[in-house]
Amino acid sequence: MSFTSLGLRPELVAAVTEKGYTEPTPIQLAAIPAVLSGRDVLAGAQTGTGKTAGFVLPMLQRLSAREGRAPRALILTPTRELAAQVAESACYYGKNTNLRTQVVFGGVSERPQIDKLRSGCDILVATPGRLLDLVEQGATTLDQVQMFVLDEADRMLDMGFIHAIKRVRTMLPKQRQNLMFSATYSDDIRNLAGNLLTNPVGIDVAPPNKTADKVEQVAYRVPKDHKRHLLAHLILSGSWHQVLIFTRTKHGANRLSEQLQRAGINSSAIHGNKSQAARVRALEDFKANRIVALVATEVAARGLDIKELPFVVNYELPNVPEDYVHRIGRTARAGSTGQAISLVSPDEVPFMRDIVKLLGKDIPALPTPQFDIREALVADPPRPPLQPRGAQQGGGRPSQRGGSFGQGARRGGPPPRAQRRGG
Ligand code: AMP
């Protein structure tokens, strides 16, 4: 199947061909004809599946050519990074058309965005809060919107955007096409879809366990206070040149990034408290291999488009198993392979069991390699002194046996035997 046979016009096919896409991904195969037909769509698909082109290409085709100043397509995304990336994709895919795309999001000054909106656009990509601010100031109007897209709807609800979405909806014309993308389906998502969509085409191309299949997933059992030492060891001994590391909190991301830096590993943190400029810079440094480790929180990492990321580390496990799938979806994109490594402390074993259950396959716990307790990582004023069991400071620790998180493992509480064998 080619892009042409899906009904896309030559100027759009030329743009994706130039981008190096040889054939449509499964979500594109299903979504492009559905969107072209004018139907509402509810798609279960996560970042990494090619969903952006799945809705942007037919959108460009339906909008056809520049018209007026008010946007005729509105794409809402949960994060600034995703908004920026979707807009970038829309500009690229639309490069052989005269359609204009603008993007607005919070965290940067409003003035330039107001000016951009006044100059007009056909497609507007926005995060909900900033969009409402700007519309309420009269910078633009949504009454010409014919196509409305909710991207990563599940994440929007997680981030508390439901009221903003409802408000935006009241500003849209009644007659319009609605597209909703969500990586997961909860009751809230089904309710939202029920309210928003009319007789939608349902598309489900990437159940979590399918996307996760391409990624080699392993785990190490390691006490919390040893995680940073093991991580530094893995990065340095494996000569990793690009690793995305997830922490649970912004503070944790900053601290780990500083610690790695002190251990001689070039690193940067990316999270919601950082300015947009700082986040963009960190991402660019990472893509250009100027930094080795990018430490991110879940939300900040949503929508990051980093090609062929070789390593993703779950420094702390997410308590929502679906988030694990989102995280590891950062690696092994578009056909390449990657490795996802989880550092599992005893209190996190229950999270790991939930993840294994969702995936429907076990994640092997590898024997923990011998690693040094690095002075640079120990010297960290706010933390209580390290008390390694079975290891002296600077002396390394004995290796642990691996094991399994799958069936047979007890639910809840700390692992009865931290070094189970086999599985
Ligand atoms: P998305 O899920 O939209 O974030 O896209 C994930 C990645 O896949 C992006 O880097 C796209 O550039 C890439 N991509 C999208 N469609 C295709 C395709 N048909 N062939 C190869 N790569 C693609």
Side-chain angles (χ1 to χ4, degrees):
M1 235 340 162
S2 67
F3 283 101
T4 305
S5 58
L6 292 179
L8 290 174
R9 282 202 304 264
E11 66 268 28
L12 299 174
V13 176
V16 294
T17 305
E18 201 179 306
K19 188 111 179 143
Y21 304 171
T22 48
E23 53 183 40
T25 64
I27 180 86
Q28 292 161 3
L29 280 175
I32 290 172
V35 178
L36 283 177
S37 78
R39 294 270 307 269
D40 280 7
V41 168
L42 174 60
Q46 50 202 315
T47 298
T49 54
K51 69 181 162 65
T52 314
F55 66 80
V56 167
L57 289 169
M59 172 182 284
L60 292 163
Q61 178 142 329
R62 279 176 66 75
L63 296 176
S64 175
R66 179 179 296 193
E67 236 180 60
R69 280 199 303 196
R72 288 175 294 140
L74 174 64
I75 303 167
L76 286 188
T77 73
T79 64
R80 320 163 190 194
E81 280 79 13
L82 185 61
Q85 288 186 12
V86 169
E88 198 185 305
S89 298
C91 289
Y92 192 94
Y93 300 142
K95 62 195 249 177
N96 303 319
T97 72
N98 68 355
L99 292 162
R100 296 151 305 176
T101 299
Q102 298 286 16
V103 55
V104 299
F105 44 70
V108 293
S109 80
E110 286 184 345
R111 196 66 242 173
Q113 298 183 347
I114 293 175
D115 292 341
K116 281 195 300 184
L117 290 177
R118 294 236 160 99
S119 74
C121 65
D122 301 283
I123 297 175
L124 178 57
V125 188
T127 54
R130 176 57 60 94
L131 176 72
L132 286 171
D133 286 347
L134 294 174
V135 173
E136 275 154 13
Q137 291 177 48
T140 189
T141 152
L142 302 181
D143 59 15
Q144 301 299 311
V145 170
Q146 304 159 10
M147 299 179 81
F148 177 49
V149 183
L150 273 188
D151 198 7
E152 298 197 349
D154 48 349
R155 182 58 40 160
M156 294 223 237
L157 296 189
D158 289 350
M159 290 174 69
F161 285 138
I162 185 67
H163 299 292
I165 293 170
K166 285 183 176 161
R167 256 198 76 70
V168 168
R169 215 182 126 199
T170 63
M171 299 170 168
L172 302 173
K174 293 241 147 33
Q175 265 309 337
R176 57 170 200 270
Q177 184 178 16
N178 301 289
L179 317 175
M180 189 165 142
F181 291 79
S182 182
T184 55
Y185 287 113
S186 60
D187 287 347
D188 288 342
I189 285 291
R190 276 182 254 272
N191 283 341
L192 181 63
N195 287 326
L196 196 69
L197 308 171
T198 310
N199 186 24
V201 178
I203 298 174
D204 221 333
V205 291
N209 46 2
K210 285 288 174 298
T211 305
D213 274 353
K214 286 188 297 180
V215 183
E216 186 193 344
Q217 301 164 65
V218 299
Y220 293 103
R221 295 174 185 274
V222 58
K224 237 184 205 18
D225 274 348
H226 286 169
K227 283 188 176 184
R228 58 193 187 278
H229 302 285
L230 173 59
L231 177 61
H233 170 83
L234 292 171
I235 294 175
L236 294 170
S237 68
S239 305
W240 294 0
H241 64 278
Q242 211 183 31
V243 52
L244 177 62
I245 302 161
F246 285 96
T247 60
R248 207 104 61 91
T249 64
K250 298 169 189 172
H251 179 63
N254 278 336
R255 195 172 58 205
L256 181 61
S257 164
E258 283 160 17
Q259 288 169 334
L260 291 175
Q261 194 70 38
R262 282 208 299 272
I265 297 162
N266 252 348
S267 117
S268 207
I270 184 167
H271 56 67
N273 282 5
K274 296 240 164 174
S275 73
Q276 177 67 7
R279 292 202 269 177
V280 168
R281 193 169 349 105
L283 186 57
E284 276 168 5
D285 284 346
F286 186 58
K287 284 183 175 177
N289 289 310
R290 287 189 290 268
I291 57 174
V292 169
L294 186 66
V295 190
T297 55
E298 185 71 30
V299 165
R302 292 288 293 196
L304 290 186
D305 184 13
I306 307 160
K307 284 250 160 57
E308 295 172 15
L309 192 54
F311 298 103
V312 169
V313 169
N314 291 302
Y315 188 77
E316 284 152 339
L317 287 184
N319 48 5
V320 181
E322 281 83 5
D323 283 349
Y324 172 89
V325 179
H326 291 146
R327 289 178 177 191
I328 71 165
R330 309 282 135 211
T331 177
R333 300 186 139 197
S336 64
T337 56
Q339 207 183 36
I341 299 108
S342 298
L343 307 186
V344 187
S345 54
D347 59 304
E348 292 175 313
V349 169
F351 297 148
M352 201 60 184
R353 297 208 185 107
D354 288 344
I355 290 165
V356 164
K357 211 162 83 190
L358 175 76
L359 295 174
K361 73 170 189 185
D362 202 10
I363 297 173
L366 300 184
T368 310
Q370 198 85 37
F371 59 86
D372 288 336
I373 303 294
R374 285 173 183 271
E375 285 302 331
L377 298 183
V378 174
D380 188 20
R383 303 280 295 175
L386 193 77
Q387 292 178 322
R389 256 187 284 144
Q392 298 303 312
Q393 287 202 355
R397 59 179 273 107
S399 74
Q400 296 187 354
R401 272 173 290 149
S404 152
F405 298 97
Q407 332 86 330
R410 209 185 57 172
R411 257 199 86 83
R417 292 169 298 268
Q419 296 94 30
R420 282 174 48 88
R421 216 184 220 305

